[in-house]
Every structure is written in structure tokens, then in C-alpha cells.
């Protein structure tokens, strides 16, 4: 194959989803309040977003606030919402310049009005971004989304995967279906999904690391992505070249 033909083959872009766990423990280990762990977590988000396109990541979904996180102390919830609002307001211009499109998934009816407004404005400002889709999950519950999409479809006799995924996209952000997750990363040492992207991660490769999220750096993401590209993805099929007997 000549060089020009090789150049025409599109490089596959992957969807990486991250559970950014460990902010609180990172802060406690340094004698700092938990809010400082979340602040350091935002710095890690910036590092990862900047490098993601170079690692063939086309969609990045970050779990910032689960619907279960409402159970945390009010002061921690308020500090998280404050950090998210600051990020959306301060980084939208850089996202626009880098071709990053911001989309927020999750419920919008319970979060503070000023955060809702920051979301609307950041989504509008970055809408033309085509290099990376950065999806931030806020007040997000995968189970609730699946339930709501299922209720919506109750009157349909038969529903395809694709149609259901489209409905799911509509209930989680009023928009498009998310591509399936290729690689799901959880930092902080725990090994569970915590109600995150359950439908979309049906065939995701899982990567668990002991690293606390504020310490997660470019080399960690590179290692996870490199590991992902080395894995054989079979989607229930036999390995390539294996004859059925
Ligand atoms: C889990 O760690 C982390 C969260 C509940 C919040 C994650 C949020 C951020 C990193 C800020 C997001 C900002 C942007 C811009 C997307 P934990 O607090 O449960 O940590 P622990 O398990 O050590 O207590």
C-alpha cells in the first residue's frame, strides 16, 4: 500500500471514561481539607484534557458528581459545585481554542442556577469543537438514566440497541447518544463502577489504578491507553484466526 493510501485510513479515536477517585484521601494524607483534594483534582483534569487528543482519545467522559454524592456534607457539595462552575467559566475559552467541545451529562434540575448558567454558556461557546468531546457527568446516575429511557420506550414493541442509546443520550443530556466506552479508568484503588456509564461500558476495557486522582498525570494516562491498544477486543467472538471446532 502506498503512502497516500495509508494516509487515508482514519485513525480510530476512542472513548475513555474516568472515575476520578481519591481526592479526599490525597488531601487527608497531607493534612488538608477535602476541598483542597478536589481543587488539586481540577488541575489533574486540565493536564489530562490537554494531552487527550494526542492519545487518540476522541471522547472523554469524567465523573465529577454522582447523584449519590448529594449524601455528602453540604459544604463539600457546595465546594464541588463552585469548582465546577469556576472551571466551566475559566476554561471555556481555552477549550474553544483547542477544539474541545464541552457537554455536561446528568440532571440539571437540582444543581444551583449559577452552575446551570455556566453549563449553558460553556456548551454554547465550545459547540464548534471537533478535536475532543469532553463530557462531564454532574448529578449523574446511570441507573436512573436507564430507567428513564426505558419508561420512555415502554410503548414501543421492539427497540434496537441504537435507538435505546439515542434515548439514553436524550435523557442524560438532551442530546446525542454517547459512543460506547472503550476504556474505563478508575483511580484511587477501588474496583467498582459506582453507577457510571453502565449501558455504554458493556464492552469497555477496565483499568484500575492505585494512583489518587490528584496525582494522576500524563504518563499514567499514556500507560492506560497503551495497555488498552495492546488488548485484544473480541466482543464475544473467538480470537482472530481461531478455528471453530
Ligand atoms: C471522588 O473522590 C471524587 C469526587 C466525588 C469529585 C471529583 C471531582 C473533581 C476531580 C473535580 C472535577 C472538576 C472538573 C473540572 C471536571 P473522593 O472525594 O470520594 O475521594 P476519597 O475516596 O479519597 O474520599
Amino acid at each position: 500500500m502506498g503512502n497516500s493510501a495509508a494516509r487515508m485510513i482514519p485513525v480510530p479515536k476512542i472513548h475513555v471514561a474516568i472515575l476520578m477517585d481519591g481526592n479526599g484521601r490525597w488531601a487527608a494524607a497531607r493534612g488538608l481539607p477535602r476541598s483542597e483534594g478536589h481543587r488539586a483534582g481540577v488541575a489533574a483534569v486540565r493536564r489530562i484534557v490537554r494531552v487527550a487528543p494526542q492519545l487518540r482519545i476522541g471522547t472523554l467522559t469524567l465523573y465529577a458528581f454522582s447523584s449519590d454524592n448529594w449524601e455528602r456534607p453540604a459544604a463539600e457539595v457546595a465546594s464541588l459545585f463552585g469548582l465546577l462552575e469556576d472551571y466551566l467559566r475559566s476554561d471555556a475559552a481555552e477549550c474553544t481554542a483547542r477544539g474541545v467541545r464541552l457537554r455536561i451529562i446528568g440532571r440539571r434540575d437540582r444543581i444551583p442556577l449559577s452552575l446551570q448558567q455556566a453549563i449553558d454558556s460553556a456548551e454554547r461557546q465550545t459547540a464548534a469543537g471537533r478535536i475532543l468531546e469532553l463530557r462531564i457527568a454532574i448529578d449523574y446516575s446511570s441507573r436512573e438514566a436507564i430507567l428513564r429511557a426505558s419508561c420512555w420506550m415502554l410503548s414501543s414493541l421492539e427497540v434496537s440497541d441504537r435507538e435505546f442509546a439515542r434515548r439514553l443520550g436524550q435523557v442524560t443530556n438532551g442530546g446525542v447518544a454517547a459512543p460506547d466506552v472503550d476504556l474505563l479508568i478508575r483511580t484511587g484503588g477501588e474496583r467498582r463502577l459506582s453507577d457510571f456509564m453502565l449501558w455504554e461500558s458493556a464492552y469497555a476495557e477496565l483499568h484500575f489504578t492505585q494512583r489518587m486522582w490528584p496525582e494522576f498525570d500524563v504518563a499514567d494516562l499514556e500507560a492506560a491507553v497503551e495497555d488498552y491498544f495492546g488488548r485484544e477486543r473480541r466482543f464475544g467472538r473467538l480470537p482472530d484466526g481461531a478455528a471453530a471446532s
Side-chain angles (χ1 to χ4, degrees), residues 20-25 34 38 42 64 69 72 84 87 213:
M20 309 177 288
D21 198 8
N23 295 345
R25 281 166 285 161
R34 294 178 58 82
H38 297 315
V42 177
N69 287 152
R72 295 196 176 196
L84 285 163
Y87 175 81
W213 175 251

Side-chain angles (χ1 to χ4, degrees), residues 19-27 34 37-46 62-66 69 72 76 80 83-85 87-88 134-138 186 188 190 192 212-214:
L19 293 105
M20 309 177 288
D21 198 8
N23 295 345
R25 281 166 285 161
W26 179 90
R34 294 178 58 82
H38 297 315
R39 190 179 301 282
V42 177
V45 167
R46 291 198 173 99
L62 302 176
Y63 205 5
F65 188 87
S66 79
N69 287 152
R72 295 196 176 196
E76 182 172 347
L80 270 168
L83 285 170
L84 285 163
E85 186 177 328
Y87 175 81
L88 292 171
L134 173 59
R135 297 157 28 102
I136 302 179
I138 302 177
R186 182 172 188 143
E190 310 289 352
R192 51 177 178 265
M212 300 293 137
W213 175 251

Side-chain angles (χ1 to χ4, degrees), residues 3 12 20 31 35 50 53 68 77 89 95 105 110 132 134-135 138 145 153 169 172 177 200 216 220:
N3 275 348
M20 309 177 288
S35 56
R50 284 182 188 138
D68 288 331
V77 171
R89 292 197 191 283
C95 286
I105 60 168
R110 303 188 291 194
L132 174 71
L134 173 59
R135 297 157 28 102
I138 302 177
M153 311 241 57
T172 43
E200 297 86 345
F216 193 81
D220 295 314

Side-chain angles (χ1 to χ4, degrees), residues 156-172:
S156 314
L157 287 178
E158 248 181 64
V159 180
S160 67
D161 273 17
R162 188 186 288 254
E163 175 69 3
F164 189 78
R166 203 171 61 79
R167 287 291 185 202
L168 200 53
Q170 280 169 339
V171 300
T172 43

